[in-house]
Amino acid sequence: MPVQRTFLGRPIRLQMPPRRFQLLFIFVGFFIYALFVYGPPSSADIPSYEQVSEAVKHPHLPNLPDIHKLPDLPDLSIPKVFGPSAHKPPVQPNSTTSSSYRAIEWFADFKWRNPFSSTITLDENRAVLPPLKRRPPIYTYYDARGKEDKEVSEAENRLILAWRRAWWAQGFQPQVLSRDEAQKHPQYELVQRMRLGKIDPRVELEMMRWLAWGHMRGGILTNWLALPMAKYDNPMLSFLRRQEYPFLSRIESLQNGVFFGEAAAVEEAIKKAIGSELFKNTTANKDKIAALKNDAGAIVNLLTKDDIAVDSKANGVAYYSTSTINSAYKSLGDKLGDKAKAEGLDLLATLINSHLHLTFQTLFPDGLAVVKPLPEHTTALMDEAIEIARNLTQCAASPLPKSCPPNLPKCSPCDPAKPLKLELIPSLKNVSALYTVGTVPHPYTLNSLHYMRDSIDAEFLRREAHRDMWISALTKGSLGEQHSGADHVLYFKEAVASPTSVSNSLWLTAERPTQADLDWVFGFNLPQKASTNDEPTSKSGITIFPRAKPPKPLEGVKPQEEKWLRTEEDRLKKARQAIKSTDKNYQSVVAMVEQWNLADTEAWKFSRAFSARRRVERKKWEEEEQKYAGSEKKSGVQTAGGGSRWSD
Ligand SMILES: *[C@@H]1O[C@H](CO)[C@@H](O)[C@H](O)[C@H]1NC(C)=O
Ligand SMILES: *[C@@H]1O[C@H](CO)[C@@H](O)[C@H](O)[C@H]1NC(C)=O
Ligand SMILES: *[C@@H]1O[C@H](CO)[C@@H](O)[C@H](O)[C@H]1NC(C)=O
Ligand SMILES: *[C@@H]1O[C@H](CO)[C@@H](O)[C@H](O)[C@H]1NC(C)=O
């Protein structure tokens, strides 16, 4: 029996309307839906030249048909249909930097895991980045007084620069303290009057060091020969980064290399040490005071076990103390004792750099991978990435090539006969033992190379170009093919910027020809020299190694012939010109390509803003620190290749 339907108690008869009305209803319904989701329809599904140039002039006109947006994405066109309903978030300080390819702008927000930044910033050009992690300050003390020898002090500054770089790369804010900070401490006068320098300069130095630290209200105090050599998430480094130090502590194996504690505990320790009976009559207690310099230093030796905790399981920091150098790196220790002190210090800097580099290599046992999606005609894009990856896999120059870092005495030293693996991969792999270097091209660059075209126009885009090719190829290996552009972008953003992967990968933009701040990203200098043959060569006490071989071509992809490579390079240059061109025609074509490849464009903007912000943060810090020891300026390090260091 058929079901009798009722409405408000009355029986109603459900009857399908005639067939022609059914069609009409479906059509009207679809039309309303389409109007709502995509905005007013237009004659063609790709913007015409005029439309795009109009839209570039008035970027918020809703008439640029945005066919690419899938209905399940947060849709920009909705607020526009109902009139402007949101204000742009205020511009954050230091969130813009200039670039030859229009300004790089970003906005730091917890909502960065959003496929399209413009839904949050309401600004086509501004990328949403994860909030910058707060860098906990870490201090070292360097007293430059009475150092006449310019060469020695420059060499020391270079070592301090290495210290600053290594801690910066690990997410800290390294600061070099001096006598000036110590003088601001209320107890300075008192300590000064004890004339400890006459008894033993090292005791005085240790006292001054603590006074300076006390003036900075505690935190982490290290020797500038104590450098982090461990994974980013090493438990000790993570603990130090949290900036919560329940006890004033030191680390057993590091003597006075690392201390950490809150301001009050540090003050308490200083007070107690200075109040010691020994200082009541320094002449009588001369020998005892001089003996304080041993082990963990003067202050610790005046405290009891209850005043300062001793951490025994900490392996994240390598400390090149005099005793370590003399026992583990004896030939170097001899040089440091010599008259040729500056030379010895430079050798030590080279040794430390090689250990930092070796640590990096041991952290990535699977080696390095350079991602090369769409490999057929994009070899020229990869030059810079491969160059960096090769230098990272090369063995570092070292005065003691077989030596290990002090915190990892059983390492396997870098062996040029068994180099770290370096491979090309067609799409991203999410493996933590692998370090990935990638190049993100602007979609204009990619289309021009991939389709081997010197110029791009609307006709070509409509008829031939696939959308968002780069990001789909990049994420295909991990995500599969069944995902939307939004999923691809999100995956990519995670790979670039999520806390777990930021220390596992480096992303360059194809349009930026040189990379300047790599040493601050990695925390060490990449090898700049290689031996000319296949054997290690030794020069003025330092062994340099042969260059790592370039990676093998991807399987199934024919290596590019030399003459085609030349064409690719030309095309890459032309694409760079086109993207930065101020010519209106070029600009509208570029805008059109960006509209056609929303996901690829977003990836480009995101990674570009991510590295630009990193540069700006660093640059700002260097400017603030330039008058202190260990700055690039004081270390005789060339900061600028003709002022181009900070721009692209
Ligand atoms: C960063 O912003 C602050 C405050 O807005 C400004 O004083 C400073 O000059 C900016 N620094 C850079 C490098 O832009
Ligand atoms: C310190 O000790 C020395 C030798 O023991 C003594 O001659 C001197 O008087 C003492 N000074 C003070 C201020 O007590
Ligand atoms: C990689 O894998 C880890 C877990 O194995 C996961 O937490 C992380 O989100 C993945 N990264 C990306 C970019 O998907
Ligand atoms: C890599 O090493 C070569 C020499 O082997 C050097 O010319 C080049 O500048 C280095 N590149 C980087 C990015 O460090």
Side-chain angles (χ1 to χ4, degrees):
M1 194 186 135
V3 184
Q4 175 65 58
R5 293 168 202 273
T6 58
F7 179 64
L8 298 175
R10 294 174 200 199
I12 53 162
R13 236 162 53 105
L14 269 188
Q15 193 185 36
M16 285 308 248
R19 184 159 272 254
R20 57 182 189 282
F21 287 112
Q22 284 176 28
L23 267 179
L24 184 67
F25 284 149
I26 292 174
F27 183 73
V28 168
F30 183 76
F31 180 78
I32 291 172
Y33 173 76
L35 187 65
F36 188 83
V37 172
Y38 300 119
S42 80
S43 51
D45 63 353
I46 173 101
S48 73
Y49 213 82
E50 290 74 15
Q51 279 173 314
V52 174
S53 41
E54 207 43 36
V56 171
K57 263 188 271 158
H58 309 287
H60 287 289
L61 284 186
N63 65 355
L64 191 64
D66 215 352
I67 44 164
H68 184 69
K69 294 246 165 84
L70 305 167
D72 60 347
L73 291 186
D75 198 315
L76 257 192
S77 62
I78 291 174
K80 289 174 196 158
V81 169
F82 298 115
S85 64
H87 292 289
K88 285 186 186 180
V91 170
Q92 297 166 333
N94 302 315
S95 65
T96 302
T97 179
S98 64
S99 142
S100 4
Y101 315 92
R102 84 190 91 149
I104 308 177
E105 301 171 317
W106 58 89
F107 178 73
D109 197 276
F110 285 103
K111 292 192 289 260
W112 66 277
R113 282 186 176 89
N114 201 309
F116 293 98
S117 299
S118 53
T119 51
I120 289 174
T121 59
L122 305 186
D123 176 345
E124 285 301 322
N125 196 35
R126 199 172 282 274
V128 179
L129 299 181
L132 258 190
K133 284 228 199 83
R134 203 171 33 121
R135 290 175 173 270
I138 183 165
Y139 305 110
T140 194
Y141 181 84
Y142 176 72
D143 194 353
R145 284 187 186 185
K147 304 224 160 140
E148 315 282 85
D149 192 337
K150 185 153 177 284
E151 268 181 41
V152 172
S153 90
E154 265 194 13
E156 283 177 343
N157 270 283
R158 277 194 285 278
L159 275 165
I160 298 174
L161 177 63
W163 175 87
R164 292 179 59 223
R165 242 178 2 210
W167 285 102
W168 180 268
Q170 292 282 5
F172 293 84
Q173 191 175 63
Q175 266 171 284
V176 182
L177 309 180
S178 67
R179 193 88 171 199
D180 295 340
E181 282 83 11
Q183 276 169 357
K184 298 233 166 66
H185 194 278
Q187 314 273 28
Y188 176 78
E189 285 295 317
L190 195 62
V191 177
Q192 176 73 352
R193 259 184 266 131
M194 294 176 189
R195 306 211 173 275
L196 296 175
K198 288 237 170 67
I199 301 172
D200 195 311
R202 282 165 64 190
V203 173
E204 186 183 41
L205 180 81
E206 188 71 8
M207 301 291 267
M208 290 302 161
R209 205 175 155 223
W210 276 70
L211 290 182
W213 186 32
H215 170 69
M216 301 308 288
R217 323 273 331 125
I220 316 166
L221 176 70
T222 80
N223 188 295
W224 43 270
L225 291 175
L227 296 91
M229 292 194 190
K231 237 183 157 54
Y232 187 84
D233 55 6
N234 171 280
M236 176 186 175
L237 298 181
S238 306
F239 167 80
L240 291 179
R241 254 183 245 116
R242 275 198 293 277
Q243 259 185 305
E244 284 164 20
Y245 318 114
F247 309 105
L248 176 63
S249 315
R250 66 187 184 91
I251 289 161
E252 171 109 69
S253 52
L254 301 185
Q255 298 155 326
N256 62 349
V258 177
F259 297 115
F260 45 91
E262 309 280 352
V266 175
E267 276 314 314
E268 193 59 34
I270 293 175
K271 218 155 98 199
K272 191 157 178 195
I274 290 178
S276 157
E277 286 298 321
L278 287 184
F279 296 131
K280 295 268 156 65
N281 187 339
T282 47
T283 350
N285 300 320
K286 217 165 124 202
D287 296 339
K288 281 192 192 147
I289 292 177
L292 288 177
K293 64 172 181 279
N294 298 327
D295 301 330
I299 300 255
V300 172
N301 287 334
L302 290 169
L303 302 176
T304 62
K305 279 216 166 63
D306 299 333
D307 298 326
I308 184 160
V310 182
D311 211 323
S312 60
K313 315 182 285 289
N315 59 358
V317 175
Y319 180 30
Y320 294 79
S321 64
T322 313
S323 58
T324 306
I325 294 176
N326 284 335
S327 60
Y329 316 112
K330 184 139 190 346
S331 60
L332 198 81
D334 297 344
K335 284 232 169 64
L336 281 171
D338 283 3
K339 286 223 178 62
K341 195 154 178 239
E343 191 199 331
L345 288 172
D346 275 340
L347 288 180
L348 178 60
T350 312
L351 180 78
I352 292 178
N353 195 69
S354 77
H355 288 166
L356 284 163
H357 191 163
L358 181 69
T359 306
F360 171 86
Q361 293 179 336
T362 48
L363 292 182
F364 298 102
D366 285 7
L368 270 93
V370 175
V371 250
K372 188 179 183 188
L374 308 171
E376 270 82 15
H377 309 288
T378 52
T379 302
L381 276 185
M382 295 295 134
D383 288 349
E384 187 72 17
I386 289 177
E387 171 101 355
I388 292 170
R390 282 177 73 185
N391 290 16
L392 282 170
T393 40
Q394 185 179 327
C395 295
S398 170
L400 299 166
K402 293 252 167 357
S403 66
C404 286
N407 62 335
L408 189 67
K410 290 207 186 77
C411 73
S412 35
C414 188
D415 179 358
K418 281 182 258 147
L420 203 61
K421 197 164 148 201
L422 167 56
E423 56 176 345
L424 289 176
I425 52 174
S427 81
L428 272 181
K429 283 186 196 168
N430 185 3
V431 183
S432 64
L434 187 69
Y435 192 90
T436 309
V437 186
T439 307
V440 190
H442 186 276
Y444 186 99
T445 312
L446 184 81
N447 275 285
S448 145
L449 286 175
H450 182 76
Y451 292 109
M452 300 186 284
R453 293 182 66 99
D454 285 335
S455 69
I456 289 179
D457 52 45
E459 187 63 19
F460 157 74
L461 280 181
R462 189 173 8 212
R463 292 193 183 278
E464 287 180 54
H466 287 282
R467 286 161 184 269
D468 296 327
M469 281 182 300
W470 184 80
I471 196 129
S472 343
L474 181 82
T475 54
K476 196 165 68 189
S478 347
L479 275 185
E481 314 220 8
Q482 306 304 322
H483 287 264
S484 68
D487 294 338
H488 294 293
V489 178
L490 270 184
Y491 187 87
F492 173 75
K493 287 186 175 180
E494 287 277 339
V496 173
S498 84
T500 47
S501 54
V502 76
S503 54
N504 285 4
S505 61
L506 175 74
W507 294 93
L508 317 168
T509 38
E511 289 72 28
R512 186 181 149 89
T514 59
Q515 320 292 331
D517 49 353
L518 291 178
D519 34 1
W520 292 81
V521 174
F522 293 111
F524 53 84
N525 279 323
L526 268 55
Q528 297 298 312
K529 284 199 204 114
S531 57
T532 41
N533 52 25
D534 282 346
E535 294 300 319
T537 46
S538 199
K539 207 176 149 205
S540 46
I542 294 179
T543 307
I544 52 174
F545 291 91
R547 257 205 117 178
K549 302 256 177 314
K552 287 206 195 69
L554 279 169
E555 223 169 278
V557 179
K558 268 211 303 244
Q560 201 74 292
E561 274 175 51
E562 195 59 32
K563 66 173 180 203
W564 293 121
L565 269 184
R566 211 61 44 69
T567 342
E568 267 181 25
E569 279 157 20
D570 281 348
R571 233 171 242 141
L572 181 58
K573 274 193 206 119
K574 278 191 193 138
R576 284 177 181 157
Q577 292 303 333
I579 300 168
K580 67 171 125 170
S581 171
T582 47
D583 181 277
K584 268 201 120 152
N585 294 336
Y586 272 124
Q587 285 182 346
S588 53
V589 171
V590 169
M592 190 158 55
V593 174
E594 291 185 357
Q595 283 298 323
W596 188 248
N597 296 286
L598 285 176
D600 275 10
T601 307
E602 178 76 19
W604 182 75
K605 282 183 191 154
F606 182 84
S607 61
R608 193 167 97 105
F610 189 79
S611 51
R613 180 176 68 171
R614 186 163 58 192
R615 280 199 305 281
V616 168
E617 185 197 12
R618 235 267 309 145
K619 176 191 175 196
K620 205 170 141 246
W621 183 238
E622 195 61 42
E623 271 164 14
E624 283 171 28
E625 292 291 293
Q626 59 173 326
K627 55 180 187 296
Y628 302 106
S631 65
E632 294 188 324
K633 204 169 146 203
K634 293 219 170 181
S635 318
V637 171
Q638 284 298 317
T639 45
S644 63
R645 192 180 163 96
W646 304 116
S647 56
D648 47 20

Short mmCIF file of all heavy atoms in Angstrom, two decimals, residues 3 7 22 38 41 138 162 199 211 219 242 278 289 369 382 420 457 488 511 513 542 552 576 590:
data_model
loop_
_atom_site.label_atom_id
_atom_site.label_comp_id
_atom_site.label_asym_id
_atom_site.label_seq_id
_atom_site.Cartn_x
_atom_site.Cartn_y
_atom_site.Cartn_z
N VAL A 3 2.37 4.85 0.81
CA VAL A 3 2.39 5.62 2.05
C VAL A 3 1.55 6.89 1.86
O VAL A 3 1.67 7.57 0.85
CB VAL A 3 3.83 6.03 2.40
CG1 VAL A 3 3.87 6.75 3.72
CG2 VAL A 3 4.71 4.81 2.43
N PHE A 7 0.24 16.67 6.02
CA PHE A 7 0.85 17.94 6.38
C PHE A 7 -0.14 18.68 7.26
O PHE A 7 -1.29 18.89 6.86
CB PHE A 7 1.17 18.75 5.13
CG PHE A 7 1.77 20.08 5.45
CD1 PHE A 7 3.01 20.18 6.07
CD2 PHE A 7 1.09 21.26 5.17
CE1 PHE A 7 3.57 21.39 6.36
CE2 PHE A 7 1.65 22.48 5.47
CZ PHE A 7 2.88 22.55 6.07
N GLN A 22 10.71 19.77 -13.97
CA GLN A 22 11.82 19.17 -13.20
C GLN A 22 13.15 19.72 -13.70
O GLN A 22 14.00 20.17 -12.94
CB GLN A 22 11.86 17.64 -13.38
CG GLN A 22 10.83 16.92 -12.61
CD GLN A 22 10.89 15.42 -12.93
OE1 GLN A 22 11.94 14.90 -13.28
NE2 GLN A 22 9.76 14.75 -12.82
N TYR A 38 30.58 30.85 -7.13
CA TYR A 38 31.64 31.37 -8.03
C TYR A 38 31.49 32.84 -8.35
O TYR A 38 32.26 33.38 -9.10
CB TYR A 38 31.63 30.60 -9.34
CG TYR A 38 31.88 29.13 -9.16
CD1 TYR A 38 30.93 28.21 -9.55
CD2 TYR A 38 33.07 28.68 -8.60
CE1 TYR A 38 31.15 26.86 -9.39
CE2 TYR A 38 33.29 27.34 -8.44
CZ TYR A 38 32.35 26.43 -8.83
OH TYR A 38 32.58 25.10 -8.67
N PRO A 41 28.59 34.75 -13.35
CA PRO A 41 29.25 33.98 -14.40
C PRO A 41 29.89 34.90 -15.44
O PRO A 41 29.55 36.07 -15.53
CB PRO A 41 28.11 33.18 -15.02
CG PRO A 41 26.89 33.98 -14.75
CD PRO A 41 27.13 34.72 -13.46
N ILE A 138 70.84 33.35 25.14
CA ILE A 138 71.92 32.53 25.70
C ILE A 138 73.15 33.43 25.72
O ILE A 138 73.40 34.17 24.77
CB ILE A 138 72.13 31.25 24.88
CG1 ILE A 138 73.20 30.38 25.53
CG2 ILE A 138 72.49 31.53 23.44
CD1 ILE A 138 73.20 28.97 24.99
N ALA A 162 81.38 31.82 15.42
CA ALA A 162 80.96 30.42 15.24
C ALA A 162 80.02 30.01 16.36
O ALA A 162 79.02 29.33 16.13
CB ALA A 162 82.19 29.50 15.20
N ILE A 199 95.87 37.93 41.89
CA ILE A 199 96.07 36.58 42.41
C ILE A 199 95.98 35.57 41.28
O ILE A 199 96.88 34.76 41.07
CB ILE A 199 95.03 36.27 43.49
CG1 ILE A 199 95.18 37.29 44.62
CG2 ILE A 199 95.19 34.85 44.00
CD1 ILE A 199 94.11 37.21 45.65
N LEU A 211 78.90 37.99 37.36
CA LEU A 211 78.28 39.29 37.61
C LEU A 211 77.52 39.76 36.37
O LEU A 211 76.39 40.25 36.45
CB LEU A 211 79.35 40.32 37.99
CG LEU A 211 80.00 40.16 39.36
CD1 LEU A 211 80.99 41.29 39.61
CD2 LEU A 211 78.95 40.12 40.47
N GLY A 219 69.35 32.96 33.17
CA GLY A 219 69.12 32.36 31.85
C GLY A 219 70.17 31.29 31.63
O GLY A 219 70.43 30.48 32.52
N ARG A 242 63.09 25.83 26.58
CA ARG A 242 61.84 26.10 27.30
C ARG A 242 61.97 27.23 28.30
O ARG A 242 60.98 27.76 28.78
CB ARG A 242 61.37 24.84 28.02
CG ARG A 242 60.56 23.94 27.12
CD ARG A 242 59.74 22.96 27.93
NE ARG A 242 60.57 21.99 28.63
CZ ARG A 242 61.06 20.89 28.07
NH1 ARG A 242 60.81 20.63 26.80
NH2 ARG A 242 61.80 20.05 28.75
N LEU A 278 87.05 33.31 52.53
CA LEU A 278 88.33 33.43 51.82
C LEU A 278 88.64 34.86 51.44
O LEU A 278 89.80 35.29 51.42
CB LEU A 278 88.32 32.57 50.55
CG LEU A 278 88.41 31.07 50.70
CD1 LEU A 278 88.48 30.44 49.33
CD2 LEU A 278 89.64 30.71 51.51
N ILE A 289 92.58 30.89 47.01
CA ILE A 289 91.79 31.61 45.99
C ILE A 289 92.25 31.18 44.59
O ILE A 289 91.44 30.93 43.71
CB ILE A 289 91.90 33.13 46.19
CG1 ILE A 289 91.21 33.53 47.49
CG2 ILE A 289 91.28 33.86 45.02
CD1 ILE A 289 91.31 34.99 47.84
N ALA A 369 68.51 14.68 -0.04
CA ALA A 369 67.69 14.49 -1.22
C ALA A 369 67.38 15.85 -1.81
O ALA A 369 67.06 16.79 -1.09
CB ALA A 369 66.41 13.78 -0.85
N MET A 382 67.61 23.39 -10.78
CA MET A 382 68.15 22.62 -9.66
C MET A 382 69.58 22.98 -9.32
O MET A 382 70.10 22.52 -8.32
CB MET A 382 68.12 21.12 -10.02
CG MET A 382 66.76 20.56 -10.18
SD MET A 382 65.95 20.64 -8.58
CE MET A 382 64.39 21.31 -9.04
N LEU A 420 78.29 10.61 2.21
CA LEU A 420 76.86 10.61 2.50
C LEU A 420 76.09 10.51 1.19
O LEU A 420 76.50 11.08 0.18
CB LEU A 420 76.54 11.93 3.21
CG LEU A 420 75.30 12.00 4.08
CD1 LEU A 420 75.39 11.01 5.22
CD2 LEU A 420 75.16 13.41 4.63
N ASP A 457 50.98 33.09 -22.91
CA ASP A 457 49.83 33.98 -23.09
C ASP A 457 48.54 33.25 -22.72
O ASP A 457 48.55 32.05 -22.41
CB ASP A 457 49.77 34.47 -24.54
CG ASP A 457 49.85 33.31 -25.51
OD1 ASP A 457 49.15 32.30 -25.28
OD2 ASP A 457 50.63 33.39 -26.48
N HIS A 488 47.30 19.74 -1.20
CA HIS A 488 48.71 19.79 -1.61
C HIS A 488 49.42 20.94 -0.93
O HIS A 488 50.52 20.79 -0.43
CB HIS A 488 48.82 19.96 -3.12
CG HIS A 488 48.31 18.80 -3.91
ND1 HIS A 488 48.90 17.58 -3.89
CD2 HIS A 488 47.25 18.68 -4.73
CE1 HIS A 488 48.24 16.74 -4.66
NE2 HIS A 488 47.23 17.39 -5.18
N GLU A 511 63.84 31.97 -8.26
CA GLU A 511 64.11 33.29 -8.82
C GLU A 511 65.21 34.01 -8.07
O GLU A 511 65.65 35.06 -8.47
CB GLU A 511 62.84 34.13 -8.82
CG GLU A 511 61.80 33.68 -9.83
CD GLU A 511 61.14 32.37 -9.43
OE1 GLU A 511 61.07 32.09 -8.22
OE2 GLU A 511 60.73 31.62 -10.33
N PRO A 513 68.86 34.09 -7.18
CA PRO A 513 70.02 33.36 -7.69
C PRO A 513 71.05 32.99 -6.63
O PRO A 513 71.75 32.01 -6.77
CB PRO A 513 70.60 34.29 -8.74
CG PRO A 513 69.92 35.59 -8.59
CD PRO A 513 68.77 35.46 -7.68
N ILE A 542 95.73 22.05 7.20
CA ILE A 542 94.31 21.71 7.08
C ILE A 542 94.10 20.76 5.91
O ILE A 542 94.64 20.98 4.82
CB ILE A 542 93.48 23.00 6.86
CG1 ILE A 542 93.56 23.85 8.12
CG2 ILE A 542 92.03 22.67 6.54
CD1 ILE A 542 92.81 25.14 8.04
N LYS A 552 72.90 11.13 -9.25
CA LYS A 552 72.53 10.46 -10.51
C LYS A 552 71.20 11.01 -11.01
O LYS A 552 70.35 11.40 -10.21
CB LYS A 552 72.35 8.97 -10.24
CG LYS A 552 73.63 8.23 -10.02
CD LYS A 552 73.41 6.76 -10.41
CE LYS A 552 74.52 5.90 -9.86
NZ LYS A 552 74.48 5.80 -8.38
N ARG A 576 62.76 35.03 -15.11
CA ARG A 576 63.06 35.95 -14.01
C ARG A 576 62.79 37.39 -14.44
O ARG A 576 62.21 38.17 -13.70
CB ARG A 576 64.53 35.82 -13.59
CG ARG A 576 64.81 34.58 -12.78
CD ARG A 576 66.28 34.46 -12.47
NE ARG A 576 66.55 33.24 -11.70
CZ ARG A 576 67.72 32.63 -11.66
NH1 ARG A 576 68.74 33.10 -12.33
NH2 ARG A 576 67.88 31.54 -10.95
N VAL A 590 51.68 37.63 -15.92
CA VAL A 590 52.11 36.96 -14.69
C VAL A 590 50.92 36.80 -13.73
O VAL A 590 50.71 35.74 -13.15
CB VAL A 590 53.26 37.75 -14.03
CG1 VAL A 590 53.55 37.22 -12.63
CG2 VAL A 590 54.52 37.65 -14.87
#
